[in-house]
Amino acid sequence: MSAVAAVVVTYNRRELLRRCLNALDAQTAGTPDIWVIDNASTDGTDEMVKARNEDHVFYCNTGENLGGAGGFSWGVRRVAREGYRYLWVMDDDCLPEPGALEALLAADRSLGGQYGWLSSRALAPDGTDQPMNRQRSTPYRDIAGYEGDCIPAVMASFVSLFLPVQIVRSFGLPIAEFFIWSDDWEYTRRISRKMPCYVIPASRVIHAMRSGGVVNIATDTQDRWPRYRFFYRNDVYLYRREGIRGWIWLLAKDVWHSVQVLMHGPNKGMRLAILWKGFCSGIRFDPPVQGIDEQWENNR
């Protein structure tokens, strides 16, 4: 049994998942145990994983599409109870470079375990930085760059997040009810309020996502508009905890997105309704934070 368990959440992206598993198998620090958390894919993901017939790969089907947030909450709870020391969390389109895990473990030793989480540098397939995955130095500002060995940060994505299992026991699970978007920001910010957290630039991953742009209903494709109700709702939950400055940030962002909607594209009224209904539902949104030993529920 490895000290590290990679928790990979997937949904109907069999070939991307295959590439992710191959990248994990190629780690210079040694192959971690790999837990594939499948949100009930229908594309033959289960057959592909099982056909690999690898003792260090464990397949778990959640039984339904819980969204990214639900998948991470379900998977982190499931794997954290298995006796590992560390969890390495990622999406199925995350392709760690061979030295990614080695750099995270080296940082763990250097810091003497005194941190909440470590985050890798996420690159696009062309080698440029992925803007969606740029970590935050404050809740409102991206880190300036990737110069240095260990960069303080307060928010990071689930595209290669490394954390001790003891941190999960102390801070609970990601919030399943978020369904998609901002669950990683919320979780990493929950931890960074109490513990120092860091970006490790030497740990590099390719994030092979379809679109690397920022999340904004004004510029996204029409087929994705309905899911934005989660984004604008979840951001209210996240930033209202930051007090008056958080509320100012929220209103400024959503007003600016509204202006952009009015300036670009069709169905302006529909998109504005999604945005502001999401904002209003976020004011009342109060999902529970569950621990790993509680009965897991998904009440979206």
Side-chain angles (χ1 to χ4, degrees), residues 139-140 155 189 193 238-246:
Y140 319 101
M155 289 181 180
R189 179 55 176 152
R193 283 173 166 271
L238 169 61
Y239 279 98
R240 74 190 191 199
R241 297 182 309 184
E242 303 295 332
I244 186 64
R245 190 175 182 186

Side-chain angles (χ1 to χ4, degrees), residues 136-194:
R136 294 273 177 92
S137 58
T138 77
Y140 319 101
R141 187 185 299 274
D142 290 346
I143 61 173
Y146 292 98
E147 301 300 323
D149 297 328
C150 193
I151 303 168
V154 301
M155 289 181 180
S157 75
F158 281 157
V159 178
S160 186
L161 188 79
F162 183 90
L163 67 168
V165 170
Q166 185 54 48
I167 293 295
V168 180
R169 291 193 174 276
S170 298
F171 289 90
L173 301 171
I175 297 176
E177 287 79 7
F178 271 42
F179 193 64
I180 55 169
W181 282 331
S182 300
D183 51 310
D184 44 11
W185 291 124
E186 185 283 325
Y187 191 59
T188 53
R189 179 55 176 152
R190 193 193 315 167
I191 296 168
S192 72
R193 283 173 166 271
K194 301 290 181 68

Side-chain angles (χ1 to χ4, degrees), residues 176-294:
E177 287 79 7
F178 271 42
F179 193 64
I180 55 169
W181 282 331
S182 300
D183 51 310
D184 44 11
W185 291 124
E186 185 283 325
Y187 191 59
T188 53
R189 179 55 176 152
R190 193 193 315 167
I191 296 168
S192 72
R193 283 173 166 271
K194 301 290 181 68
M195 298 283 294
C197 301
Y198 302 97
V199 179
I200 309 303
S203 177
R204 293 159 49 107
V205 302
I206 303 300
H207 190 191
M209 61 190 301
R210 240 182 353 180
S211 172
V214 296
V215 178
N216 187 337
I217 197 172
T219 55
D220 212 337
T221 56
Q222 185 168 351
D223 61 300
R224 289 164 56 87
W225 292 351
R227 68 181 65 184
Y228 272 87
R229 64 190 175 95
F230 298 112
F231 171 67
Y232 291 105
R233 179 199 66 181
N234 297 346
D235 260 14
V236 174
Y237 178 92
L238 169 61
Y239 279 98
R240 74 190 191 199
R241 297 182 309 184
E242 303 295 332
I244 186 64
R245 190 175 182 186
W247 282 108
I248 292 171
W249 167 266
L250 278 168
L251 288 168
K253 172 179 69 71
D254 289 357
V255 167
W256 173 234
H257 283 197
S258 298
V259 170
Q260 291 177 293
V261 166
L262 293 173
M263 294 171 60
H264 302 288
N267 299 315
K268 294 176 174 57
M270 177 188 299
R271 285 184 287 159
L272 288 174
I274 292 170
L275 191 163
W276 288 105
K277 285 181 179 178
F279 179 93
C280 292
S281 66
I283 296 172
R284 304 181 301 273
F285 185 49
D286 193 26
V289 173
Q290 293 183 314
I292 68 171
D293 294 319
E294 296 178 53

